[in-house]
Amino acid sequence: MTLPEGYSISNSIPSVDTYLALRTKSGLTPFSREASARGLPNSLFCVQMLHDGEAIGMGRITGDNGCFFLVTDICVLPAYRNRGLAKAIMAELTKWLHANVPKTGFVTLSADGRANELYRQFGFRSTEEEIDSVGMFMVM
């Protein structure tokens, strides 16, 4: 996918400050600085969308790198939305998944709002529709 002029992708892990700012400004649930500092180094793969060198979006893959993989933190700052940037982030993440996940690996994500429309373009399906499973969670 060709990015608009001035945009680029970095596969580096975002700093804690960048991560927290992107999550908050994009409307994602905030995490504590401690949780972010502990979690980010455990990322399997990261994508940062940059505009003129500044992070304006991101996505990550976490998991055990064998059986389970979680696509998470997909976001783009509001001022940069509707330009195909989230799709470009997902394309990079999906490329990594296809190259690195073993045949029986299970890849999951949670879709907020209408984001499921984006994720379906990359082969994701609703667990309720496909495997009679309901996602559950617990927040500490």
Side-chain angles (χ1 to χ4, degrees):
M1 170 176 245
T2 304
L3 295 173
E5 188 173 331
Y7 293 88
S8 61
I9 288 178
S10 168
N11 295 129
S12 61
I13 297 172
S15 70
V16 171
D17 288 335
T18 297
Y19 177 75
L20 292 172
L22 285 173
R23 283 192 63 87
T24 301
K25 292 176 182 177
S26 295
L28 298 179
T29 306
F31 287 118
S32 70
R33 178 167 288 282
E34 176 190 2
S36 302
R38 287 174 62 179
L40 285 169
N42 295 308
S43 302
L44 297 175
F45 184 69
C46 293
V47 172
Q48 289 186 73
M49 179 63 65
L50 307 174
H51 181 249
D52 295 333
E54 181 182 338
I56 54 93
M58 68 177 172
R60 293 192 312 137
I61 299 171
T62 63
D64 66 11
N65 204 23
C67 298
F68 298 97
F69 299 80
L70 173 66
V71 176
T72 189
D73 297 325
I74 308 300
C75 65
V76 174
L77 294 176
Y80 296 91
R81 291 182 183 159
N82 300 313
R83 299 176 194 191
L85 302 176
K87 189 171 186 174
I89 291 168
M90 277 303 299
E92 286 291 308
L93 294 173
T94 303
K95 185 169 114 180
W96 186 90
L97 290 166
H98 284 288
N100 293 281
V101 175
K103 184 177 180 180
T104 59
F106 191 74
V107 182
T108 63
L109 59 76
S110 293
D112 296 334
R114 293 183 38 220
N116 64 320
E117 296 171 14
L118 169 67
Y119 303 137
R120 284 184 191 280
Q121 296 175 43
F122 292 94
F124 287 89
R125 302 180 313 266
S126 169
T127 57
E128 291 177 333
E129 296 169 6
E130 297 290 327
I131 57 175
D132 195 28
S133 174
V134 175
M136 300 180 77
F137 68 96
M138 176 174 61
V139 177
M140 303 310 254

